[in-house]
Coordinates of all heavy atoms in Angstrom, one line a residue:
L504 N 4.1 13.2 2.4 CA 4.8 12.0 2.7 C 4.0 10.7 2.2 O 4.6 9.7 1.8 CB 5.0 11.8 4.2 CG 6.0 12.8 4.8 CD1 6.0 12.7 6.4 CD2 7.4 12.6 4.3
G505 N 2.7 10.8 2.2 CA 1.8 9.8 1.7 C 2.0 9.5 0.3 O 2.1 8.4 -0.2
V506 N 2.1 10.6 -0.5 CA 2.4 10.5 -1.9 C 3.7 9.8 -2.2 O 3.8 8.9 -3.0 CB 2.4 11.9 -2.6 CG1 2.9 11.8 -4.0 CG2 1.0 12.5 -2.5
A507 N 4.8 10.2 -1.4 CA 6.1 9.6 -1.6 C 6.0 8.1 -1.2 O 6.6 7.3 -1.9 CB 7.1 10.3 -0.7
A508 N 5.3 7.8 -0.1 CA 5.2 6.4 0.3 C 4.6 5.5 -0.8 O 5.0 4.4 -1.0 CB 4.4 6.3 1.6
A509 N 3.5 6.0 -1.4 CA 2.8 5.2 -2.4 C 3.7 5.0 -3.6 O 3.7 3.9 -4.2 CB 1.5 5.9 -2.8
E510 N 4.4 6.0 -4.0 CA 5.3 5.9 -5.1 C 6.5 4.9 -4.8 O 6.9 4.1 -5.7 CB 5.9 7.3 -5.5 CG 6.7 7.3 -6.7 CD 6.0 6.9 -8.0 OE1 4.7 6.9 -7.9 OE2 6.6 6.6 -9.0
L511 N 7.0 4.9 -3.6 CA 8.0 3.9 -3.2 C 7.5 2.5 -3.3 O 8.2 1.6 -3.7 CB 8.6 4.3 -1.8 CG 9.4 5.5 -1.8 CD1 9.8 5.9 -0.3 CD2 10.7 5.4 -2.6
I512 N 6.2 2.3 -2.8 CA 5.6 1.0 -2.9 C 5.5 0.6 -4.3 O 5.7 -0.6 -4.7 CB 4.2 1.0 -2.2 CG1 4.4 1.2 -0.7 CG2 3.4 -0.2 -2.5 CD1 3.1 1.4 0.1
R513 N 5.1 1.5 -5.2 CA 4.9 1.1 -6.6 C 6.3 0.7 -7.2 O 6.4 -0.3 -7.9 CB 4.4 2.3 -7.4 CG 4.2 2.0 -8.9 CD 3.9 3.3 -9.7 NE 5.1 4.1 -9.8 CZ 6.1 3.9 -10.6 NH1 6.0 2.9 -11.5 NH2 7.1 4.7 -10.7
Q514 N 7.3 1.5 -6.9 CA 8.6 1.2 -7.5 C 9.2 -0.1 -6.9 O 9.9 -0.9 -7.7 CB 9.6 2.3 -7.1 CG 9.3 3.6 -7.8 CD 10.2 4.8 -7.3 OE1 11.0 4.6 -6.4 NE2 9.9 6.0 -7.8
T515 N 8.9 -0.5 -5.7 CA 9.4 -1.7 -5.1 C 8.6 -3.0 -5.4 O 9.2 -4.0 -5.6 CB 9.5 -1.5 -3.5 OG1 10.2 -0.3 -3.2 CG2 10.2 -2.7 -2.9
F516 N 7.3 -2.9 -5.5 CA 6.5 -4.0 -5.5 C 5.6 -4.2 -6.8 O 4.8 -5.0 -6.9 CB 5.5 -4.1 -4.3 CG 6.2 -4.1 -3.0 CD1 6.3 -3.0 -2.2 CD2 6.8 -5.3 -2.6 CE1 6.9 -3.0 -1.0 CE2 7.4 -5.3 -1.3 CZ 7.5 -4.2 -0.5
Q517 N 5.9 -3.3 -7.8 CA 5.0 -3.4 -9.0 C 5.1 -4.6 -9.8 O 4.3 -4.9 -10.7 CB 5.3 -2.2 -9.9 CG 6.7 -2.1 -10.5 CD 6.9 -0.9 -11.4 OE1 6.0 -0.3 -11.9 NE2 8.2 -0.5 -11.6
N518 N 6.2 -5.4 -9.6 CA 6.4 -6.6 -10.4 C 6.0 -7.9 -9.7 O 6.1 -9.0 -10.2 CB 7.8 -6.8 -10.8 CG 8.3 -5.7 -11.8 OD1 7.5 -5.3 -12.7 ND2 9.5 -5.2 -11.6
I519 N 5.4 -7.8 -8.5 CA 5.0 -9.0 -7.8 C 3.7 -9.6 -8.4 O 2.9 -8.8 -9.0 CB 4.8 -8.8 -6.3 CG1 3.7 -7.7 -6.0 CG2 6.1 -8.4 -5.6 CD1 3.4 -7.5 -4.5
R520 N 3.5 -10.9 -8.3 CA 2.4 -11.5 -9.1 C 1.1 -11.7 -8.2 O 0.0 -11.4 -8.7 CB 2.9 -12.9 -9.6 CG 4.1 -12.8 -10.5 CD 3.7 -12.3 -11.9 NE 2.8 -13.1 -12.5 CZ 2.2 -12.8 -13.7 NH1 2.6 -11.7 -14.3 NH2 1.4 -13.7 -14.3
K521 N 1.2 -12.2 -7.0 CA 0.1 -12.7 -6.3 C -0.8 -11.5 -5.8 O -2.0 -11.6 -5.7 CB 0.5 -13.5 -5.1 CG 1.1 -14.8 -5.5 CD 1.5 -15.7 -4.3 CE 2.0 -17.1 -4.7 NZ 2.3 -17.9 -3.6
V522 N -0.2 -10.4 -5.4 CA -0.9 -9.2 -4.9 C -0.5 -8.0 -5.7 O 0.7 -7.8 -5.9 CB -0.7 -9.0 -3.4 CG1 -1.4 -7.8 -2.9 CG2 -1.1 -10.3 -2.6
H523 N -1.4 -7.2 -6.1 CA -1.1 -6.0 -6.8 C -0.6 -5.0 -5.9 O -1.0 -4.9 -4.7 CB -2.4 -5.5 -7.5 CG -2.1 -4.5 -8.6 ND1 -1.7 -3.2 -8.3 CD2 -2.1 -4.6 -10.0 CE1 -1.6 -2.5 -9.5 NE2 -1.8 -3.4 -10.5
W524 N 0.4 -4.2 -6.3 CA 1.0 -3.2 -5.4 C -0.1 -2.2 -4.9 O 0.1 -1.7 -3.8 CB 2.1 -2.4 -6.1 CG 1.7 -1.5 -7.2 CD1 1.6 -1.8 -8.6 CD2 1.4 -0.1 -7.1 NE1 1.2 -0.7 -9.3 CE2 1.1 0.4 -8.4 CE3 1.3 0.8 -6.0 CZ2 0.7 1.7 -8.7 CZ3 0.9 2.1 -6.3 CH2 0.6 2.5 -7.6
R525 N -1.1 -1.9 -5.7 CA -2.2 -1.0 -5.2 C -2.9 -1.6 -4.0 O -3.4 -0.9 -3.2 CB -3.1 -0.7 -6.3 CG -2.5 0.2 -7.4 CD -3.5 0.7 -8.4 NE -2.9 1.6 -9.4 CZ -2.5 1.2 -10.6 NH1 -2.6 -0.1 -11.0 NH2 -2.0 2.1 -11.4
Q526 N -3.0 -3.0 -4.0 CA -3.6 -3.6 -2.9 C -2.8 -3.5 -1.6 O -3.4 -3.4 -0.5 CB -3.8 -5.1 -3.2 CG -4.9 -5.4 -4.2 CD -5.1 -6.8 -4.6 OE1 -4.2 -7.5 -5.1 NE2 -6.2 -7.4 -4.3
L527 N -1.5 -3.4 -1.8 CA -0.6 -3.2 -0.6 C -0.9 -1.8 0.0 O -1.0 -1.6 1.2 CB 0.8 -3.3 -1.0 CG 1.3 -4.7 -1.5 CD1 2.8 -4.6 -1.8 CD2 1.1 -5.7 -0.4
V528 N -1.1 -0.8 -0.9 CA -1.5 0.6 -0.5 C -2.8 0.5 0.3 O -2.9 1.2 1.3 CB -1.6 1.5 -1.7 CG1 -2.2 2.8 -1.3 CG2 -0.2 1.7 -2.4
L529 N -3.8 -0.2 -0.2 CA -5.1 -0.3 0.5 C -5.0 -1.0 1.8 O -5.6 -0.5 2.8 CB -6.1 -1.0 -0.4 CG -6.6 -0.2 -1.6 CD1 -7.6 -1.1 -2.4 CD2 -7.2 1.1 -1.2
I530 N -4.1 -2.0 1.9 CA -3.9 -2.7 3.2 C -3.4 -1.7 4.2 O -3.9 -1.6 5.4 CB -3.0 -3.9 3.0 CG1 -3.6 -5.0 2.2 CG2 -2.5 -4.4 4.4 CD1 -2.7 -6.1 1.9
I531 N -2.4 -0.9 3.9 CA -1.8 0.1 4.8 C -2.8 1.1 5.1 O -3.0 1.5 6.3 CB -0.6 0.7 4.1 CG1 0.5 -0.3 3.9 CG2 0.0 1.9 5.0 CD1 1.7 0.2 3.1
E532 N -3.6 1.6 4.1 CA -4.6 2.6 4.4 C -5.7 2.1 5.4 O -6.1 2.8 6.3 CB -5.2 3.0 3.1 CG -6.2 4.2 3.2 CD -6.7 4.7 1.9 OE1 -6.4 4.1 0.8 OE2 -7.5 5.6 1.9
I533 N -6.1 0.9 5.1 CA -7.2 0.3 6.0 C -6.6 0.2 7.5 O -7.3 0.5 8.4 CB -7.6 -1.1 5.5 CG1 -8.4 -0.9 4.2 CG2 -8.5 -1.8 6.5 CD1 -8.7 -2.2 3.5
F534 N -5.4 -0.2 7.6 CA -4.8 -0.4 8.9 C -4.7 1.0 9.6 O -5.1 1.1 10.8 CB -3.4 -1.0 8.8 CG -2.6 -1.1 10.1 CD1 -2.9 -2.1 11.0 CD2 -1.7 -0.1 10.4 CE1 -2.2 -2.1 12.2 CE2 -1.0 -0.2 11.6 CZ -1.3 -1.2 12.5
L535 N -4.2 2.0 8.9 CA -4.1 3.3 9.5 C -5.5 3.9 10.0 O -5.6 4.4 11.1 CB -3.4 4.3 8.5 CG -2.0 4.0 8.2 CD1 -1.5 4.9 7.1 CD2 -1.1 4.1 9.5
L536 N -6.5 3.8 9.1 CA -7.8 4.3 9.4 C -8.5 3.6 10.5 O -9.2 4.2 11.3 CB -8.6 4.4 8.1 CG -8.1 5.2 7.0 CD1 -9.1 5.2 5.8 CD2 -7.9 6.7 7.4
F537 N -8.2 2.3 10.6 CA -8.8 1.5 11.6 C -8.2 2.0 13.0 O -9.0 2.1 14.0 CB -8.5 0.0 11.4 CG -9.2 -0.9 12.4 CD1 -10.5 -1.1 12.4 CD2 -8.4 -1.5 13.5 CE1 -11.2 -2.0 13.3 CE2 -9.0 -2.3 14.4 CZ -10.4 -2.5 14.4
F538 N -6.9 2.2 13.0 CA -6.3 2.7 14.2 C -6.8 4.1 14.6 O -6.9 4.4 15.8 CB -4.8 2.7 14.0 CG -4.0 3.0 15.3 CD1 -3.9 2.0 16.3 CD2 -3.3 4.2 15.4 CE1 -3.2 2.3 17.5 CE2 -2.6 4.4 16.6 CZ -2.6 3.5 17.6
V539 N -7.1 4.9 13.6 CA -7.6 6.3 13.9 C -8.9 6.2 14.6 O -9.1 7.1 15.5 CB -7.7 7.0 12.6 CG1 -8.5 8.3 12.8 CG2 -6.4 7.4 12.0
G540 N -9.7 5.2 14.4 CA -11.0 5.1 15.0 C -10.9 5.0 16.5 O -11.9 5.2 17.2
F541 N -9.7 4.6 17.1 CA -9.6 4.4 18.5 C -9.1 5.7 19.2 O -9.0 5.8 20.4 CB -8.6 3.3 18.8 CG -9.1 1.9 18.5 CD1 -8.6 1.2 17.4 CD2 -10.0 1.3 19.3 CE1 -9.1 -0.1 17.1 CE2 -10.5 0.0 19.0 CZ -10.0 -0.7 17.9

């Protein structure tokens, strides 16, 4: 499911200018892992 989610993010946000779509992936990843710590 994670592979599918990253690919959907790429397809949807690859043309935005201010933030790279890969940065969106990292934001989600950081949020999930931070929550795991609790």
Side-chain angles (χ1 to χ4, degrees):
L504 291 174
V506 171
E510 186 61 17
L511 288 174
I512 290 173
R513 183 191 69 80
Q514 294 173 1
T515 306
F516 299 105
Q517 63 179 339
N518 293 323
I519 61 175
R520 301 285 299 175
K521 293 185 177 180
V522 179
H523 197 284
W524 69 269
R525 291 187 178 96
Q526 288 178 297
L527 297 179
V528 169
L529 289 181
I530 289 172
I531 296 172
E532 188 176 359
I533 291 170
F534 174 79
L535 291 175
L536 296 181
F537 184 76
F538 188 71
V539 166
F541 290 106

